Amino acid sequence: FKTIQDALNVAESNDYVYVKGQTFMQSKQIYWLPGSGVKLRGGYQGIGSPGPCDPAAWPTLVRRANTAVNHRLLAMRGVTGGLLYGITFTNGYPYGPHPGGSGGGVFAASCVNLTVEACTIVTNRIRHDTGNGGDIYGVGLFVSGGSGTITNCMFKDNRGETISVSTYAYCNGGGISLMDGTWQVKNCWFLDNRMQSDYNVGWSRGAGIHIFSGRQTISSCVFRNNQCWSGRNRVGDGIF
């Protein structure tokens, strides 16, 4: 297959999709179809079946192709028992209020027993400035409901911003925003993520991790230089 989307379109339950280490320039988001047990693994040399895998040596990058077009990089809904492994997501930039403007790198809704492992989610952005309030969530990764594990991942240099003139606007989760569900986040790095909002009616919350609700467990993670940089209310540079 020439694209990740083509492979996901035909993947059946418990299939493995092995992705070569190269840059995939996306003109729109990849959509992971609902289903059971599909494993999407990056970082392969591209020789053999599947051949050697080392995301450091053969990085698989998913990147927004046209900086004039706003969209996230990967959306998944209703995936059960899936694995997302060894892929870098960078330069995602959806725009507007939630849900369309949330999850700049990855948006995962109602996924059960999902594992996100050894992924790098870096230099993504979300922004909402329509002026009438509204919230945005999860610059790097937004999770809604479901259950799973996020492990050995890096969230770095992600930026979120809200601007409003009359109604409160909330900018939530530079690295991850968790809304409902039961998730474990472990052995991850949260570095240099920034949230900002206007000084009049803006809130910046959780530059590293934002927890909206649910039963969430955070363990053995590193938080460094994350910042709720501006806004009328700034809370939780590391975790909110």
Side-chain angles (χ1 to χ4, degrees):
F1 299 98
K2 292 184 178 181
T3 71
I4 296 173
Q5 186 68 73
D6 288 344
L8 288 174
N9 285 346
V10 299
E12 299 179 348
S13 294
N14 301 313
D15 277 353
Y16 282 79
V17 177
Y18 301 108
V19 187
K20 181 180 178 180
Q22 66 180 60
T23 299
F24 292 86
M25 303 297 289
Q26 298 299 132
S27 60
K28 59 183 180 180
Q29 72 177 13
I30 299 167
Y31 181 56
W32 190 332
L33 303 171
S36 299
V38 173
K39 288 20 178 218
L40 179 62
R41 296 179 56 96
Y44 284 85
Q45 185 182 21
I47 299 173
S49 299
C53 178
D54 184 346
W58 304 294
T60 300
L61 276 73
V62 176
R63 184 180 183 91
R64 184 169 52 108
N66 185 350
T67 57
V69 178
N70 293 95
H71 63 84
R72 69 175 60 89
L73 299 172
L74 172 65
M76 60 179 78
R77 184 180 297 273
V79 173
T80 299
L83 170 67
L84 177 62
Y85 175 88
I87 297 178
T88 294
F89 296 92
T90 185
N91 197 38
Y93 187 5
Y95 173 82
H98 179 76
S102 296
V106 179
F107 185 106
S110 303
C111 296
V112 177
N113 194 26
L114 174 69
T115 299
V116 181
E117 182 178 356
C119 290
T120 300
I121 301 180
V122 58
T123 320
N124 299 286
R125 189 179 180 190
I126 59 176
R127 178 182 170 92
H128 171 42
D129 63 359
T130 58
N132 264 333
D135 306 338
I136 48 178
Y137 300 89
V139 186
L141 168 63
F142 170 72
V143 174
S144 174
S147 62
T149 302
I150 303 160
T151 182
N152 293 313
C153 294
M154 178 178 288
F155 299 84
K156 188 176 189 296
D157 286 325
N158 299 291
R159 300 286 185 266
E161 182 179 14
T162 57
I163 298 175
S164 181
V165 296
S166 60
T167 307
Y168 283 113
Y170 296 83
C171 192
N172 305 290
I176 301 174
S177 185
L178 300 168
M179 182 182 290
D180 299 329
T182 303
W183 290 82
Q184 296 184 60
V185 181
K186 57 185 182 179
N187 300 320
C188 291
W189 293 263
F190 297 85
L191 312 174
D192 305 312
N193 300 291
R194 177 181 286 188
M195 310 299 286
Q196 64 185 75
S197 55
D198 64 272
Y199 283 97
N200 185 29
V201 288
W203 285 71
S204 299
R205 307 190 296 189
I209 297 177
H210 167 259
I211 299 174
F212 184 90
S213 57
R215 301 181 63 181
Q216 322 299 353
T217 303
I218 315 297
S219 62
S220 302
C221 292
V222 174
F223 296 83
R224 186 168 62 239
N225 200 32
N226 303 287
Q227 188 176 16
C228 292
W229 181 67
S230 64
R232 179 176 178 176
N233 297 279
R234 306 180 297 276
V235 286
D237 288 340
I239 302 175
F240 173 84

